[in-house]
Amino acid sequence: MVSKNLTATLILFTTFLFISESISAVHSPPQLNATTKDLDFIRTSCNVTQYPDLCFKSLACYASTVHQSPARLTKLSVDVAITKANSTLVFLSKLSLSVAQVKNCVSYVEDAIDSMRDCLPILRNISRGGGVAAAPSSASPPAAEVFSSQMSDVLTYMSAALTNEETCTDEYEDEEGMVKTIVCGRVNKLKMFSSNALALANSLANKGSSP
């Protein structure tokens, strides 16, 4: 039976979860000099994702930065997913101090963040119109081949991140109770952001090397 102290702790975390999710839902950076075309580009791009409304709401504030660039949009979607993962990690780490079983999920989310971070230098390079970091040989591979290789790495990293997040929630598949509700509620939300980033990365890979 769950102790009264643990129950009280879980209730507090549930309240904190609700408040933090409410704040994150309404807080976003301003749309500086965003044009209708910039916003329409993001809305259309988000249609390839499983959660297009969330995709648009989380990325529309960067419309003027994206400026109709699939590569910049993909990089920013990973940035947003990492931000969400970091807040999830902080939340789960605090919860794990009272509920030991949550420590596994903390490790999975840490691994997910590491995988997503591995994408950033690749996507940053692509968004700037670069190939692989200064190929030393004059017989370097064609740009399309370089791009394909880079995006293959990005898709591998993002898939690994999503797999780690899914492994966390899978551990609670046969359980019931408040811990499952809290942990899965938080991580399932993170999975939506990661899924969107993966879908945009896959779309970028299919479109070609235009920054």
Side-chain angles (χ1 to χ4, degrees), residues 67-135:
H67 199 56
Q68 304 177 54
S69 163
R72 284 195 289 271
L73 180 64
T74 301
K75 179 190 172 296
L76 282 167
S77 72
V78 176
D79 284 331
V80 168
I82 290 174
T83 298
K84 185 68 178 178
N86 281 328
S87 67
T88 301
L89 179 61
V90 170
F91 179 87
L92 294 178
S93 296
K94 291 179 179 178
L95 181 58
S96 70
L97 298 177
S98 301
V99 187
Q101 72 183 97
V102 178
K103 290 181 179 179
N104 284 343
C105 267
V106 170
S107 296
Y108 293 133
V109 173
E110 286 176 337
D111 290 343
I113 292 172
D114 287 342
S115 291
M116 287 190 280
R117 283 177 176 163
D118 286 338
C119 295
L120 294 181
I122 302 173
L123 291 171
R124 189 178 298 115
N125 192 44
I126 292 173
S127 67
R128 291 172 179 169
V132 238

Side-chain angles (χ1 to χ4, degrees), residues 56-194:
F56 179 75
K57 289 176 182 177
S58 64
L59 295 172
C61 52
Y62 302 107
S64 60
T65 301
V66 171
H67 199 56
Q68 304 177 54
S69 163
R72 284 195 289 271
L73 180 64
T74 301
K75 179 190 172 296
L76 282 167
S77 72
V78 176
D79 284 331
V80 168
I82 290 174
T83 298
K84 185 68 178 178
N86 281 328
S87 67
T88 301
L89 179 61
V90 170
F91 179 87
L92 294 178
S93 296
K94 291 179 179 178
L95 181 58
S96 70
L97 298 177
S98 301
V99 187
Q101 72 183 97
V102 178
K103 290 181 179 179
N104 284 343
C105 267
V106 170
S107 296
Y108 293 133
V109 173
E110 286 176 337
D111 290 343
I113 292 172
D114 287 342
S115 291
M116 287 190 280
R117 283 177 176 163
D118 286 338
C119 295
L120 294 181
I122 302 173
L123 291 171
R124 189 178 298 115
N125 192 44
I126 292 173
S127 67
R128 291 172 179 169
V132 238
S137 170
S138 58
S140 56
E145 185 178 328
V146 171
F147 174 79
S148 178
S149 175
Q150 289 177 318
M151 287 309 302
S152 176
D153 288 341
V154 169
L155 293 175
T156 297
Y157 292 139
M158 284 308 304
S159 296
L162 193 55
T163 296
N164 274 295
E165 294 160 11
E166 289 173 342
T167 302
C168 166
T169 54
D170 285 348
E171 289 199 347
Y172 292 89
E173 186 175 357
D174 298 324
E175 295 190 22
E176 297 296 337
M178 195 176 295
V179 173
K180 175 181 180 177
T181 300
I182 293 174
V183 173
C184 291
R186 190 81 183 201
V187 178
N188 280 335
K189 187 70 173 181
L190 168 59
K191 285 158 62 175
M192 294 167 70
F193 284 87
S194 299

Side-chain angles (χ1 to χ4, degrees), residues 6-19:
L6 179 55
T7 300
T9 299
L10 293 175
I11 291 173
L12 286 174
F13 268 93
T14 304
T15 303
F16 174 76
L17 172 62
F18 174 78
I19 293 173

